[in-house]
Amino acid sequence: MATSTFAPAALTADSSGATSAPHTGPKLDHSLHPAGRWIFLAVLIGGLAYAGVSIAFDTAQVGESLAGGAFAFLALALLIALGFEFVNGFHDTANAVATVIYTHSMPAPLAVVWSGFFNFLGVMLSSGAVAYSIVTLLPVDLILNVGSVGGFAMIFALLLAAIVWNLATWAAGLPNSSSHALIGSILGVGLANQLINGVADGTSGVDMVQVWKVLSALAFSPLVGFVGALLLLLVMKRFLRDQKLYEAPKGQTPPPRGIRALLIGTCTAVSFAHGSNDGQKGMGLIMLILIGCAPTAYALNRTMRESAMPAFVQTAQSASAAYRAHADGTPVDVGTARAQVTQALKAKHVADPVIYGALATLSDDVSSRIESYGSLGKVPAAATPNLRNDMYLVLDTTKLIAADTSAQSRFTAQEITTLKSYDSGLEQGTRYIPTWVKVTVALALGLGTMVGWKRIVVTVGERIGKTHLTYGMGASAELVAAATILLAVRYGMPVSTTHILSSGVAGASVANGAGLQRRTVMNMALAWVMTLPVAMLLSGGLYWLLLMLAHSLGY
């Protein structure tokens, strides 16, 4: 790591005995009040207890009983998933507070608590779209059989691999991306799954279209952060002439009130945006864990109103008619249709009259079963997994068809509208996040923000640019980061808070006429390049080891 150019002791003496000016670095060694430790522990225990009580209530409500071993296994899986979000909090959110700490806008203890609270709000108000964009990267067969040994090995492997890499980069003080690590872990599991099963085309284990979409967002976002912050600071210098905005802090003096409000506002925006995007990444995986361990309670959205069912059934029947109008005319049974759609979804080749016919058969079966039950809340336990899997197959295949230009040329505009409406109903029935999951993830992310933040804060605040962070540099970097992340949330794209904000600090440093600390930038770039292959190797290796262990134990 490069040595800080502006964080010596408060007063230093040169060789001539003259005393230099006081340093402008913040105080980062505040001790936590004993009451704070107790509050932290109480919130942590309360959140875990709330999750346990919610699971017990949800399963009892549908008559699904979990044996002691199954409940312990579920608890372990949830602890690992929440552990990922906790590490994400102190690893990634430190980026949000670095600017307010290094400009003395807020003392460090208050800044991390403030950021943790707005991370919590961001998670609670999130839509869940990003959560399921992560899930769609996983192999189809593992999603459909998430309760199997392979399904659980997949979840454990990818979460543990992401946590290990996050902790390794945190120990080195590198602002690495938790999103990047998680996606690399997912790719590693998918490829390992295909290689273990002896399929020649290893990439068919993951949705490569979705992978490139997500990776392109991860690759493009640092460029947006760098260029956006650079241009914004230049524009600010052109139109906002208050020179105090472009000065470094003097001693430990806070900035003027207006500038301080601006910096606290941008920190708040980045914290909220981080929660609304990164907080969702563990949600989808937690839902897979719940579906695998307690399918009756969580495989379907049993809170969906019964009054909404007739409209859904009508839409399903209309979608089925649209598919049948473009099918090859050869009817198939439900089992054959299920196999055909599963294979088409794995291969991502859905623009086929045979598949349209299979979708018509599955859609008819789904609508007739839901109509006979009256609502998703009344679906019997034995029928829940099959109905959920069929709805999942139809949902993801319909999404591909609605987005396929060749399919759009075959279907009329009205039919495409019907398919999208059907898609929305299927999504509402299968892709939902219970409130207690949001609360526990929000607590994990918020509490994680308050732990271990110092290493990353020092890197962002001291070791990217060669000069001290000015008020304008901090504001421009955080404004660009918040806007980019919130835009990504709007389109359900997982992006990296770390990459965007650290790149924004670098761009603002360049715009301010300061150089970059080459060693730190090179280390960050190396971590960015290494994350994907290392996470893939870790998760793929862990997946194989867990499968071997399970098989040796007779599972």
Side-chain angles (χ1 to χ4, degrees):
M1 282 295 170
T3 304
S4 169
T5 58
F6 48 84
L11 289 173
T12 58
D14 59 24
S15 58
S16 65
T19 303
S20 66
H23 80 95
T24 56
K27 182 180 179 183
L28 300 177
D29 57 352
H30 297 269
S31 59
L32 183 64
H33 192 278
R37 294 189 179 93
W38 285 109
I39 292 171
F40 182 95
L41 187 61
V43 173
L44 178 62
I45 294 173
L48 294 176
Y50 175 53
V53 170
S54 298
I55 292 170
F57 177 79
D58 290 345
T59 52
Q61 198 173 35
V62 297
E64 184 176 26
S65 59
L66 291 177
F71 192 86
F73 186 82
L74 173 59
L76 175 62
L78 288 177
L79 280 175
I80 294 174
L82 292 172
F84 168 77
E85 290 296 349
F86 186 86
V87 173
N88 187 355
F90 72 69
H91 193 291
D92 286 22
T93 313
N95 294 276
V97 298
T99 54
V100 289
I101 291 174
Y102 270 86
T103 56
H104 307 303
S105 299
M106 299 178 84
L110 178 59
V112 294
V113 172
W114 181 274
S115 180
F117 174 73
F118 282 97
N119 265 279
F120 179 92
L121 283 185
V123 177
M124 292 304 300
L125 298 176
S126 62
S127 66
V130 175
Y132 283 102
S133 71
I134 289 289
V135 170
T136 55
L137 295 173
L138 295 165
V140 173
D141 56 339
L142 291 181
I143 294 177
L144 295 179
N145 300 289
V146 68
S148 66
V149 170
F152 285 119
M154 166 192 72
I155 292 171
F156 279 115
L158 66 90
L159 284 172
L160 288 173
I163 290 172
V164 167
W165 183 243
N166 274 348
L167 288 174
T169 52
W170 167 80
L174 292 176
N176 179 63
S177 167
S178 296
S179 304
H180 208 171
L182 182 61
I183 289 165
S185 299
I186 289 172
L187 294 180
V189 166
L191 295 175
N193 180 60
Q194 286 302 307
L195 294 173
I196 289 169
N197 291 330
V199 178
D201 180 11
T203 58
S204 65
V206 292
D207 182 350
M208 292 308 296
V209 174
Q210 182 71 3
V211 166
W212 289 120
K213 181 180 176 183
V214 170
L215 289 182
S216 63
L218 284 175
F220 189 62
S221 55
L223 182 62
V224 171
F226 183 89
V227 175
L230 187 152
L231 294 177
L232 179 58
L233 187 58
L234 292 177
V235 170
M236 287 169 63
K237 286 186 172 184
R238 174 69 176 82
F239 293 101
L240 301 177
R241 299 303 181 90
D242 185 353
Q243 287 305 306
K244 292 181 180 178
L245 192 59
Y246 312 108
E247 296 174 353
K250 294 180 173 62
Q252 301 293 316
T253 306
R257 184 174 298 177
I259 295 174
R260 189 178 189 183
L262 170 65
L263 290 166
I264 292 175
T266 58
C267 169
T268 302
V270 172
S271 300
F272 181 87
H274 177 263
S276 64
N277 193 287
D278 277 44
Q280 295 189 54
K281 290 162 188 171
M283 288 183 189
L285 298 175
I286 287 175
M287 289 310 299
L288 286 182
I289 293 168
L290 293 171
I291 289 167
C293 292
T296 304
Y298 297 108
L300 297 173
N301 184 4
R302 293 180 177 273
T303 63
M304 212 170 159
R305 296 192 314 273
E306 187 171 348
S307 59
M309 290 300 104
F312 172 77
V313 170
Q314 179 60 48
T315 303
Q317 291 170 348
S318 299
S320 177
Y323 279 131
R324 189 169 289 106
H326 299 276
D328 63 357
T330 305
V332 294
D333 60 86
V334 173
T336 303
R338 186 179 295 126
Q340 290 175 340
V341 173
T342 300
Q343 189 54 44
L345 188 56
K346 286 182 181 179
K348 301 298 178 290
H349 298 309
V350 296
D352 184 341
V354 173
I355 303 305
Y356 300 153
L359 286 168
T361 299
L362 276 184
S363 296
D364 283 339
D365 185 61
V366 166
S367 63
S368 64
R369 278 191 281 171
I370 292 177
E371 188 174 28
S372 67
Y373 299 135
S375 73
L376 293 180
K378 297 178 181 177
V379 177
T384 299
N386 279 343
L387 180 58
R388 177 255 177 188
N389 282 359
D390 286 348
M391 291 175 71
Y392 173 87
L393 287 172
V394 176
L395 167 62
D396 274 26
T397 310
T398 299
K399 277 186 178 297
L400 289 176
I401 290 172
D404 191 332
T405 53
S406 64
Q408 290 174 0
S409 64
R410 301 184 187 188
F411 291 82
T412 66
Q414 180 59 46
E415 287 172 335
I416 291 293
T417 300
T418 298
L419 294 182
K420 288 182 177 179
S421 177
Y422 182 38
D423 182 83
S424 177
L426 289 167
E427 196 167 61
Q428 188 179 358
T430 57
R431 295 184 176 178
Y432 73 106
I433 310 290
T435 300
W436 72 263
V437 172
K438 284 190 173 186
V439 171
T440 50
V441 168
L443 287 175
L445 195 67
L447 292 176
T449 303
M450 303 172 199
V451 176
W453 48 270
K454 183 177 176 180
R455 290 176 183 269
I456 307 300
V457 163
V458 169
T459 297
V460 174
E462 298 182 13
R463 296 172 177 168
I464 295 179
K466 288 184 176 180
T467 60
H468 196 286
L469 200 69
T470 68
Y471 307 131
M473 289 165 62
S476 60
E478 290 206 317
L479 280 170
V480 169
T484 305
I485 297 167
L486 290 173
L487 187 63
V489 171
R490 169 67 178 81
Y491 291 100
M493 294 296 298
V495 293
S496 167
T497 301
T498 301
H499 288 164
I500 298 170
L501 188 55
S502 56
S503 298
V505 170
S509 296
V510 172
N512 202 50
L516 299 176
Q517 296 196 38
R518 183 174 177 274
R519 185 176 179 183
T520 299
V521 173
M522 290 297 292
N523 285 342
M524 290 170 57
L526 182 62
W528 188 89
V529 171
M530 288 178 61
T531 292
L532 200 65
V534 171
M536 289 174 67
L537 286 172
L538 280 174
S539 64
L542 280 171
Y543 178 65
W544 178 80
L545 285 173
L546 290 172
L547 284 182
M548 294 302 101
L549 178 62
H551 292 157
S552 69
L553 295 175
Y555 291 102

